[in-house]
Amino acid sequence: DISQGRAPDGSSNYDFFDLPTPGVANTSPPIVTTETTVLAPEAATKRAIIPTSPTHIPAAWNSDPEFNDANWLSCVGAPGGVGYETHPTDTTNYVSLITLDVEAQMDGVNETCYIRIPFTVDGEDLAEFTDLTLKIRYDDGFVAYINGTLLETATRNFSGTPAWDSGADDSHDDPEAVNFEVIDISEYLGALRAGENVLAIQGLNYGLTSSDFLISAELEASITTVDYGEDPFVDDRDVLAGLRITELMYHDPASGNYDYIELKNISDTAIKLDGVRFLDGVLFEFPAMQLAAGEYIVVVSDETAFRTRYGYGPRVAGTYTGGLDGGGEDIIMALAWPLEAAIMRFGYKDTWYPSTDGGGQSLHIVDPTAHPATWDDAVSWRASAPSPGMP
């Protein structure tokens, strides 16, 4: 259901369109803009400590921005990494990435290093953030937190609950460790707060006598906006996404005058039905009207007959011409002219459920949110008592 064409017309740029527009000018593609804010740069001032016992460091080290870490080791200025390197002549080494050397405190003593990186978030920006990214160089593993919230999907080379002396479950090769791993942690945007925050990292080495160690991190937030410009088809897109046929009474045992088609707006926004057309099965064009989110509406064979049976509760859009075939047929509901894209195109059959073929029951769609292509399948429908304009 996707077309491809020049966007806009006459340009050398090709784009994909979720709304096919044969015979109608192509619009320009949406402009996606991303504005990134570095909340905690790699060279940000940070504090680090190697714990020496289970009670050495209070649990609030990874959650409280105001935690007193004044007696921790200080890491100030570029490049910003915390770690050590015992083989500085190796082809790949960490010397150029380390500001705070913790070899004396860590090598042969503990595989864990606690690191606290304070940062500030502007309250107005916080409300607009759409993405959050952790960029980190690490040897060999780590567990990270924002204001005490565990970034579970960002944990590397460790499983379980970290202790004060935990080590990495595996090594991270030096050629990979020197490069940023970019991790999408947008699901943790809710962990941020206006004002003071802390990114806390428990760096993990693989073995007490490992020859090197490194943690160097950066935290970024971004605001992504999509500008569709002057899209003349915005209302049509809403209709394409939200309007569905949900019930068919196609062979009322008393008379075809009682037949009807029920529709529903399955989206969470009101849609304009102006000009929406039934082109096959029955003929009908909607007048200027809106359908609220979750609202039902019916198109009927004969409004007088319909009202005598179902009353004035159901909302009626109007009377179609032609009739729904009792033996089954194709239904085409299309967007307003000059667009030709079908909102729905499907066929029903009287053999699906005999009780709907003159037995007094109507066809009800099982899942109105399913893909429109499934309206062709008998399993997508069920037979039930008529309930026009109602769930």
Side-chain angles (χ1 to χ4, degrees), residues 23-288:
V24 180
N26 298 339
T27 57
S28 298
I31 300 172
V32 180
T33 304
T34 300
E35 180 182 348
T36 299
T37 299
V38 179
L39 298 176
E42 189 173 18
T45 297
K46 54 188 72 72
R47 296 273 185 169
I49 197 168
I50 286 75
T52 58
S53 74
T55 59
H56 181 200
I57 308 298
W61 78 271
N62 63 15
S63 61
D64 185 2
E66 303 299 325
F67 179 84
N68 185 5
D69 56 12
N71 63 341
W72 290 29
L73 301 171
S74 179
C75 180
V76 181
V82 176
Y84 66 85
E85 176 61 72
T86 61
H87 297 135
T89 59
D90 285 353
T91 302
T92 303
N93 63 74
Y94 304 150
V95 173
S96 64
L97 299 172
I98 295 173
T99 296
L100 175 61
D101 191 312
V102 293
E103 180 182 0
Q105 296 82 6
M106 190 173 184
D107 188 17
V109 178
N110 195 347
E111 294 173 277
T112 277
C113 176
Y114 290 162
I115 303 166
R116 286 172 45 85
I117 309 172
F119 62 97
T120 303
V121 176
D122 180 271
E124 293 185 4
D125 290 342
L126 177 59
E128 300 295 327
F129 288 152
T130 56
D131 304 282
L132 190 63
T133 303
L134 176 65
K135 299 164 63 177
I136 187 165
R137 313 177 204 267
Y138 62 96
D139 180 333
D140 288 291
F142 68 91
V143 179
Y145 308 82
I146 293 178
N147 299 323
T149 296
L150 171 64
L151 310 183
E152 188 173 0
T153 58
T155 297
R156 294 294 183 268
N157 286 342
F158 184 79
S159 59
T161 302
W164 68 278
D165 58 350
S166 292
D169 295 337
D170 201 354
S171 62
H172 193 213
D173 293 340
D174 294 1
E176 296 177 357
V178 296
N179 297 316
F180 267 140
E181 180 174 343
V182 180
I183 307 172
D184 182 1
I185 56 171
S186 300
E187 62 187 293
Y188 301 106
L189 273 168
L192 297 176
R193 62 183 68 158
E196 299 305 313
N197 295 255
V198 63
L199 169 64
I201 300 174
Q202 180 171 351
L204 305 170
N205 217 349
Y206 185 56
L208 283 174
T209 58
S210 173
S211 64
D212 50 22
F213 170 71
L214 176 68
I215 293 292
S216 191
E218 185 163 291
L219 186 66
E220 296 180 346
S222 56
I223 302 171
T224 299
T225 57
V226 181
D227 181 6
Y228 289 95
E230 295 298 324
D231 184 358
F233 306 124
V234 62
D235 291 337
D236 300 287
R237 295 180 194 278
D238 289 343
V239 171
L240 195 63
L243 188 60
R244 297 292 182 267
I245 294 171
T246 52
E247 185 181 349
L248 289 174
M249 172 54 85
Y250 67 89
H251 188 179
D252 188 282
S255 168
N257 289 337
Y258 297 105
D259 289 350
Y260 59 84
I261 302 173
E262 177 193 80
L263 305 97
K264 181 184 179 182
N265 177 3
I266 64 168
S267 72
D268 56 4
T269 186
I271 55 178
K272 294 182 178 180
L273 301 183
D274 314 15
V276 169
R277 302 162 290 162
F278 281 96
L279 301 178
D280 202 356
V282 298
L283 300 178
F284 179 77
E285 182 173 315
F286 281 87

Side-chain angles (χ1 to χ4, degrees), residues 12 41 186 221 312 387-388:
S12 60
S186 300
Y312 286 84
S387 58

